[in-house]
Amino acid sequence: MDRFRHHRDRLWCEEVPLDVLARRVGTPAYVYSAGTIRDHVRRLRAAFADLDPLVCYAVKANGNLAVLRVLLEEGCGLDIVSGGELARARRLGAPGARIVFSGVGKTRAEMEAGLAAGVRLFNVESEPELDLLEQVATARGQVAPVGIRLNPDVDPRTHRHITTGRRENKFGVDLAAGERLARRAARSPALRLQALQCHIGSQVTSVEPYAEALGRVAALAARLRPEAPDLEWLDMGGGFGVWYRDQAAPGFEAYAAAVRPIVKASGLRLLMEPGRVLVGNAGVLLARVLYEKRGGGKRFVIVDAGMNDLLRPSLYDAYHRVWPATGPPPPPLGEEGAGERADVVGPVCESGDFLARDRALPPVAPGAVLAVFGVGAYGFAMASTYNDRPRPCEVLVDGARYAVVRERETHADLMRLERPDAPFQAVEDRADPEGVA
Ligand code: LLP
């Protein structure tokens, strides 16, 4: 469900026509619907209402400050994975009590910043990480709140690149090691064991893997409880799926029903870290058609957005709906539209540079605007400047109004940190290990 509609021969984001917006702000442009984001948070909360979860939005999905502000105003907390994401949270004044610090490779500096910000939880993923957190907390005279990220070895049946809860993935620790780490954290005066966490993957479109994983985590929590009086949270991670090609992802109610009995029986509170499901369907990428050409029996529509702007199709073979911003209505989700098949490709010098392949698409003239759907999550967030292409602007629509919430990068921005005339410096002591690191 989202607030993108076809109406009077045009696509609209809320009450703003996308072709007009493209003319105003230029292309390529990411456009987000504030109303859709709010709807998603409210529907998630309603489905889980009786469990009163702490919903920490996964900033990595879309860290734009204006988007984060909408989520914070809806009462969400934030799930962060870097000092950079912490800086964003701080910039908006997000309270530490609503921040969860995740990530498999936190540095000492990131731990220090997290402790200084008073984050609610560090989700720890290995024994050496727990050692370092203990050291850093001791040095600061603080007690670090700890969650242990468990790898429950459950198959979430999603794309192999975004599966995280299998034994062979780099994330978390297995249940036996997790139990050991948890007991250690519970005993340490510098650590407070507050949570057990798992995150099984992303774009998970069945609910059973959640029940299976959380069941294993809850069983461990029950064993630990006598020694861990501060254990308060079951953190189920994120990963809820959205509708890309069809309506394959279940609704919030189905996810809630799957974990409800487990959470209730555990006596713990539920924490979750959804990213994609809150913002994924709240964004489109607008691109303009540059040329159309035919070759090898194929129709290519060449547009001004490429894999550097939207990486998911090239990286994961991800499917995003593409449709012209003016003209006939798009086909219903899951159905094929009318028109000759085409590959929609970008200007980047890679044959892997495409936004969509083999799609029925109505005729489009040069200058026509295409909307690429479902890119509110992991769209701009994964954009790069490859081929020296400035990253697109980001626009937030709210009702009948819009704001450019991140300006389009300029060529000067791309070169801003380069110092072609930087003086060469001698290295004093080549054996100095600090210098090498
Ligand atoms: N919590 C943890 C610990 C995570 O690693 C992630 C995502 C989330 C929460 C949020 O997951 P979500 O609800 O958004 O599925 N770039 C990929 C997705 C990578 C997800 C990484 N971890 C893509 O474009 O599909």
Side-chain angles (χ1 to χ4, degrees), residues 56 58 60-61 79 81 102-103 123 125 149 161-162 164 171 197-199 201-204 210 237-241 244 273-277 312 315-316 377-379 382:
C56 288
K60 64 170 84 69
D79 168 51
V81 291
S102 306
N123 278 331
E125 302 210 16
R149 175 163 180 183
H161 287 167
I162 46 180
T164 44
F171 296 100
Q197 192 256 17
C198 63
H199 168 79
S202 203
Q203 186 59 11
V204 180
Y210 281 101
F240 297 166
Y244 284 119
E273 307 161 358
R276 184 191 321 263
V277 81
R312 303 193 73 255
L315 188 59
Y316 309 124
Y378 307 107
M382 293 171 75

Side-chain angles (χ1 to χ4, degrees), residues 381-392:
M382 293 171 75
S384 77
T385 60
Y386 183 43
N387 275 205
D388 258 275
R389 293 172 44 80
R391 285 180 296 177

Side-chain angles (χ1 to χ4, degrees), residues 135-160:
Q135 254 179 50
V136 174
T138 305
R140 296 176 57 89
Q142 275 181 271
V143 177
V146 170
I148 303 294
R149 175 163 180 183
L150 300 160
N151 184 330
D153 193 22
V154 163
D155 182 0
R157 297 167 233 161
T158 181
H159 192 287
R160 67 194 161 84

